[in-house]
Amino acid sequence: MCPLVLLRWGGCCSRLLPPPPPGLWSALGGGGGVRWRRGLFSGFPSAASHWSKVVSEAEKIVGYPTSFISLRCLLSDELSNIAMQVRKLVGTKHPLLNTARGLVYDSRNNLQMRGLVVLLISKAAGPSNGAELSFQHDMVSGIYSSQRSLAEITELIHTAFLVHRGIVNIGELKSCDGLLKDMQFGNKIAVLSGDFLLANACTSLAQLQNTKVVELISSAIGDLVQGIYYDNSNLSEEDCLTHDIGISTWKEQIFLSHSALLAKSCQAAMELAKHDAEIQDMAFEYGKNMSMSHKLHLDLQPFIKGKSSDSVAFSLNSAPVVLHQEFLGREAWIKQIREAQSKGNLMDFTKLQEAIKAGKGVTSAIDLCHYHGNRALEALECFPPSEARSALENMVYAVTRFS
């Protein structure tokens, strides 16, 4: 019998979750080295499982509206000028418009949670045992000022890369997208505004005056660049629709493009508080596995919420598709791709979606999401019980619930 993860809430058993299927053990880090912990999921909070409420409650704990990223930066003259220029893109389909709109009006739905997680894990860890008393006086609401700066830096870096990823390929534009000069102008604004945010982040990073923290965050920026390079390489290949990526490679690439920044920022927050290597490693593990669960949750949404009558576009490099391809086999997968292609090589996403939902990819992706959720909760066990730790746990519950 396969081992089960025991879920507890308030001391009573509420539900059992199976581990990933046997075929996934090697991809998960495999074999006998994987331990499924009992009692990690302490249950699913009812209303608090909704992300917006989890974020709202967490922001009250840290006393900091991280959804607004860095208020000082957003109110600067330079960024105000950029915002005025972005208005010129109204009426076009340049992706910079959606990025800007999402940051201002839809921050919760866009899951701008990186800075918030850094603040929460900083408060959950508290001061180190060897911290000087004068050093502890720098704390406000249980968080050092340097850790608050780090949270802003993390969000600025993430936002800078979101803006940079909105640059469009001029050669692939259609007449309905907008005038060529407007799209070229949008690209210039995306480059300049992204560079501005990144420059501000790097300046603030240097002001922390901590060599290890600078090294950690700099390496995270390098990881982001490498991850985006892989993404763009896959998209540019002629056979990208049938690209044989594999779940192990998928996890490596997602770590670079989605998990590295949060994981290394959590570790850097512990370094700023002078915590030992063990606490830093656990903070890293929480950030890594939390963001992996978050990405899996996003990848699963078209398959969980999408109705068969809806034409729901989804990434062919998303986790459910990659797992579906592994279970199905490459030849059978290529056959499904061709069957879903109509005249002109247009993809019938509805037909392909139904084929994927009928396979094992979706359920396996859910299992993988639960696996990383358990790993994130396991990392939190080294922190003392507190409101901040509970908020971090609730964030995991929110991205691992699919009902």
Side-chain angles (χ1 to χ4, degrees):
M1 181 180 294
C2 294
L4 296 173
V5 181
L6 186 61
L7 292 138
R8 297 173 57 87
W9 187 5
C12 60
C13 300
S14 61
R15 187 179 171 191
L16 294 175
L17 275 183
L24 281 181
W25 283 114
S26 58
L28 296 177
V34 176
R35 294 181 298 111
W36 282 84
R37 297 290 301 274
R38 292 182 176 271
L40 290 185
F41 274 90
S42 58
F44 296 102
S46 53
S49 63
H50 298 289
W51 182 264
S52 60
K53 184 167 184 178
V54 168
V55 170
S56 178
E57 293 299 321
E59 288 185 338
K60 292 176 184 177
I61 293 172
V62 298
Y64 194 80
T66 53
S67 297
F68 294 102
I69 314 170
S70 171
L71 193 59
R72 291 194 302 274
C73 183
L74 288 176
L75 295 180
S76 67
D77 292 338
E78 294 89 346
L79 207 60
S80 296
N81 290 333
I82 291 174
M84 293 296 292
Q85 298 298 324
V86 170
R87 292 179 60 184
K88 297 179 181 179
L89 298 176
V90 174
T92 73
K93 293 184 179 181
H94 199 285
L96 182 59
L97 274 175
N98 288 331
T99 302
R101 189 182 300 115
L103 291 172
V104 176
Y105 297 112
D106 202 24
S107 59
R108 287 179 180 173
N109 290 336
N110 273 331
L111 303 179
Q112 299 290 324
M113 52 85 179
R114 288 159 183 82
L116 181 57
V117 170
V118 171
L119 293 175
L120 285 171
I121 206 162
S122 298
K123 186 165 186 175
S128 63
N129 295 330
E132 299 176 1
L133 186 60
S134 59
F135 184 57
Q136 295 184 27
H137 289 163
D138 187 40
M139 299 185 78
V140 177
S141 298
I143 304 170
Y144 292 112
S145 61
S146 60
Q147 292 172 324
R148 291 187 182 275
S149 296
L150 177 64
E152 291 182 354
I153 290 167
T154 302
E155 283 292 1
L156 285 173
I157 293 171
H158 173 63
T159 306
F161 276 87
L162 282 181
V163 172
H164 277 157
R165 295 184 83 158
I167 298 172
V168 298
N169 188 338
I170 298 297
E172 297 179 355
L173 290 177
K174 300 177 182 178
S175 58
C176 61
D177 293 328
L179 296 175
L180 177 61
K181 64 176 184 178
D182 290 336
M183 302 303 282
Q184 290 175 332
F185 176 77
N187 279 357
K188 293 177 181 178
I189 294 298
V191 171
L192 291 173
S193 55
D195 287 351
F196 171 77
L197 292 172
L198 196 57
N200 272 268
C202 292
T203 300
S204 299
L205 183 62
Q207 291 172 350
L208 293 178
Q209 298 182 348
N210 187 304
T211 305
K212 184 175 180 179
V213 170
V214 171
E215 181 182 350
L216 280 169
I217 303 304
S218 298
S219 66
I221 293 174
D223 291 337
L224 276 169
V225 172
Q226 189 175 352
I228 292 173
Y229 171 79
Y230 285 141
D231 290 345
N232 291 339
S233 296
N234 290 338
L235 290 174
S236 64
E237 291 182 6
E238 294 182 358
D239 63 340
C240 64
L241 295 181
T242 57
H243 189 62
D244 189 12
I245 180 175
I247 192 62
S248 297
T249 303
W250 181 88
K251 290 179 68 175
E252 292 172 3
Q253 294 183 4
I254 293 303
F255 172 78
L256 294 172
S257 59
H258 288 81
S259 300
L261 178 61
L262 181 58
K264 293 183 178 181
S265 293
C266 289
Q267 181 181 352
M270 300 300 98
E271 166 64 22
L272 289 171
K274 301 181 179 179
H275 285 288
D276 58 29
E278 181 181 359
I279 297 296
Q280 291 187 29
D281 289 344
M282 290 300 100
F284 177 94
E285 286 298 317
Y286 176 82
K288 172 186 173 182
N289 288 288
M290 165 63 195
S291 55
M292 290 293 287
S293 292
H294 166 224
K295 183 60 170 68
L296 285 157
H297 184 89
L298 292 179
D299 282 2
L300 280 159
Q301 292 311 299
F303 302 95
I304 300 297
K305 292 184 177 181
K307 298 179 181 179
S308 57
S309 59
D310 297 332
S311 179
V312 181
F314 54 89
S315 171
L316 290 171
N317 286 324
S318 64
V321 180
V322 172
L323 287 165
H324 173 76
Q325 180 181 349
E326 279 202 346
F327 282 113
L328 197 62
R330 183 163 174 77
E331 291 185 5
W333 168 242
I334 292 176
K335 182 180 179 181
Q336 281 190 351
I337 288 286
R338 289 173 178 168
E339 289 175 350
Q341 285 179 325
S342 57
K343 293 182 179 180
N345 288 330
L346 295 176
M347 184 65 64
D348 184 348
F349 279 98
T350 301
K351 185 175 183 179
L352 188 59
Q353 182 189 42
E354 289 303 311
I356 294 170
K357 288 169 70 173
K360 299 179 181 179
V362 174
T363 55
S364 297
I366 292 174
D367 289 334
L368 186 57
C369 184
H370 288 150
Y371 168 82
H372 284 290
N374 275 280
R375 293 291 300 272
L377 293 174
E378 182 181 31
L380 289 177
E381 290 183 340
C382 68
F383 299 104
S386 65
E387 281 186 322
R389 173 177 156 175
S390 296
L392 291 168
E393 292 170 346
N394 286 340
M395 294 179 103
V396 176
Y397 300 141
V399 297
T400 52
R401 182 177 181 180
F402 298 97
S403 59

